[in-house]
Amino acid sequence: MQILHVEYLRKSFDGQTILSNVSLEISKGEVIAVIGPSGSGKSTLLRCLTLLERIDQGKITVEGDVMVDSPNGHPRYAPEETLRKIRLKLGMVFQNFNLFPHFSVLQNITEAPVHVAGVPYEVAKANALELLEKIGLSDKADAYPYQLSGGQSQRVAIARALAMKPDVLFFDEPTSALDPELTGEVLKVIRALAAEHMTMMVVTHEMAFARDVADRVIFMDNGQIIETGTPDQIFLNPTNERTKTFLQRFSENG
Amino acid sequence: MEWTNLIKLLNLLCSGALTSIQLFCYTLLFSLPLGLAVALGRMSKRPYIRGPIKFYILIMRGTPLLLQIIFVYFAPSFMMPEGFRINLDRFVAAVIAFSLNYAAYFAEIYRGGIESIPQGQYEAAAVLGFTKSQTFFRIILPQVIKRILPPISNEVITLVKDTALIQVLGISELFRVAKNESSRLFSTLPLFVAGLFYLAMNWVVTRVFHLAEKKLSYYK
């Protein structure tokens, strides 16, 4: 079953093209890793899919609901109520966590279910405590974000996104702001989600992680999808020259 | 000075201080919310909202409050055409002038606070599905309040002392009472005591802000 469908997406900032001709689809339970050099448009793509940026052209469909279409070259977004419905199906984890500093860990996780989804507080709390146990932070329920390490913050951010029970979860370089010794604990949580067949799209520079966890890898460069395939195809037998050069540079550095 | 006279003086000063405190309270009551509205207008993307608001802030901060008090009191009765003249109550005129003036200062403090909140907070709220007003009132504003407490306390302390300006309308606030007593008794003592009154009021203000900051120090 298709969860997300993107056709010929184009996005530019101040006349500079950031994404062009991007088409992709995400099926239920699939884990997609998006790799590519800095400035290749990976993060912008995620931001377009989560409605943080508006596209200039193309069509995005989420579970049959059209988020945006451009019948005559200009983007036309669905009415706000449809967008609200779509937003609830999409979760996002940011590079810089973006936890709410004035809320405790527990409240960070319960706030949206209670005030956006209308879940009774007791139910939201029970669910949040369950999520905290899953990410190994049960003892931090009453802590405030400033008391957490980077790895702990990112795990809470994942729990916060999961609390809304999204159908697809996007990760924008979830370990890039972390010290190397802290990336492991975050990747472990994402791996556990993959094992539960959570649908995910992860922009990452962790090649080993992309290779182990992803069902499909997308390589982007210069705002375009250059190559798509299974991890084995992309990492062992890349067909495109640019993919080869990129991966070579990575294995040399890493 | 005899004891009875001193008690009489303190009584007079207290009633003057009461008027000052009333003006103080009404000004905060109106200017704090109004300032927030002005700040939002000042940050509006629409130039026909932002432009006039910028002009309003320029006038309020760029001319003496004393002049504004006189203007608000006299303009409705002197500058309006025959038949539209209104005689404002002196105290009401003072509250209007103070509220408009302080709202402009508070607005710029709010704006500084709001603009200091990282964009990521808005984005996190947006993807979680919060509406714009939920995002502002639940996520942004509480963080803004913590950040702007110190500059707000500056303005509030200034407000305590600025209340003395309404004597220009002949209102018997603390300073005017002290001045009158001073001339009547040929003594600077009433003025000195009035100074202690202002100091005491601002000590209370300082304590309140200190407690508020402490209460909000549970997060960083």
Side-chain angles (χ1 to χ4, degrees), chain A residues 94-115:
Chain A
F94 299 88
Q95 184 177 343
N96 297 317
F97 333 130
N98 294 337
L99 292 178
F100 304 130
H102 59 309
F103 290 158
S104 69
V105 164
L106 186 66
Q107 208 181 346
N108 260 283
I109 302 173
T110 57
E111 190 73 2
V114 172
H115 294 286

Side-chain angles (χ1 to χ4, degrees), chain A residues 97-105 107-109 111-112 143-146 156 160, chain B residues 120-128 130 135 138-140 143 219-220:
Chain A
F97 333 130
N98 294 337
L99 292 178
F100 304 130
H102 59 309
F103 290 158
S104 69
V105 164
Q107 208 181 346
N108 260 283
I109 302 173
E111 190 73 2
Y144 281 85
Y146 80 93
V156 171
R160 179 176 70 175
Chain B
Q121 292 289 306
Y122 292 92
E123 294 183 351
V127 291
L128 285 169
F130 289 105
T135 302
R138 307 197 76 90
I139 311 292
I140 306 301
Q143 299 183 53
Y219 74 92
K220 279 177 191 160

Side-chain angles (χ1 to χ4, degrees), chain B residues 148-196:
Chain B
I148 64 174
L149 274 180
I152 291 278
S153 81
N154 262 345
E155 288 304 320
V156 174
I157 285 172
T158 304
L159 172 59
V160 169
K161 295 171 288 182
D162 274 356
T163 55
L165 293 174
I166 58 166
Q167 61 183 287
V168 74
L169 299 184
I171 299 173
S172 295
E173 48 66 52
L174 177 57
F175 200 88
R176 184 185 155 96
V177 172
K179 228 170 50 180
N180 286 347
E181 287 308 291
S182 193
S183 357
R184 202 170 60 82
L185 301 168
F186 291 108
S187 159
T188 52
L189 182 76
L191 287 173
F192 181 75
V193 177
L196 290 179

Side-chain angles (χ1 to χ4, degrees), chain A residues 82-204:
Chain A
T82 313
L83 295 183
R84 272 185 71 77
K85 187 179 144 204
I86 289 175
R87 241 183 231 116
L88 292 182
K89 296 175 177 175
L90 313 172
M92 173 86 149
V93 174
F94 299 88
Q95 184 177 343
N96 297 317
F97 333 130
N98 294 337
L99 292 178
F100 304 130
H102 59 309
F103 290 158
S104 69
V105 164
L106 186 66
Q107 208 181 346
N108 260 283
I109 302 173
T110 57
E111 190 73 2
V114 172
H115 294 286
V116 176
V119 175
Y121 179 72
E122 287 309 317
V123 177
K125 187 183 170 186
N127 183 39
L129 292 175
E130 208 172 293
L131 284 167
L132 281 174
E133 186 162 354
K134 202 158 136 185
I135 60 169
L137 290 176
S138 294
D139 55 329
K140 298 287 183 194
D142 297 322
Y144 281 85
Y146 80 93
Q147 297 165 313
L148 304 177
S149 72
Q152 291 171 335
S153 298
Q154 194 58 298
R155 281 143 72 195
V156 171
I158 294 172
R160 179 176 70 175
L162 286 173
M164 290 299 279
K165 304 196 188 334
D167 291 343
V168 51
L169 192 49
F170 296 93
F171 293 81
D172 188 7
E173 304 195 20
T175 58
S176 293
L178 301 178
D179 293 334
E181 70 266 29
L182 298 177
T183 58
E185 56 186 87
V186 171
L187 295 180
K188 202 175 124 194
V189 170
I190 304 177
R191 271 174 218 272
L193 290 173
E196 292 172 17
H197 303 292
M198 176 81 206
T199 313
M200 293 185 284
M201 186 168 182
V202 188
V203 169
T204 184

Side-chain angles (χ1 to χ4, degrees), chain A residues 65-86:
Chain A
D65 288 321
V66 178
M67 176 200 289
V68 54
D69 196 359
S70 21
N72 39 26
H74 292 287
R76 193 177 301 151
Y77 275 84
E80 186 53 35
E81 41 191 311
T82 313
L83 295 183
R84 272 185 71 77
K85 187 179 144 204
I86 289 175

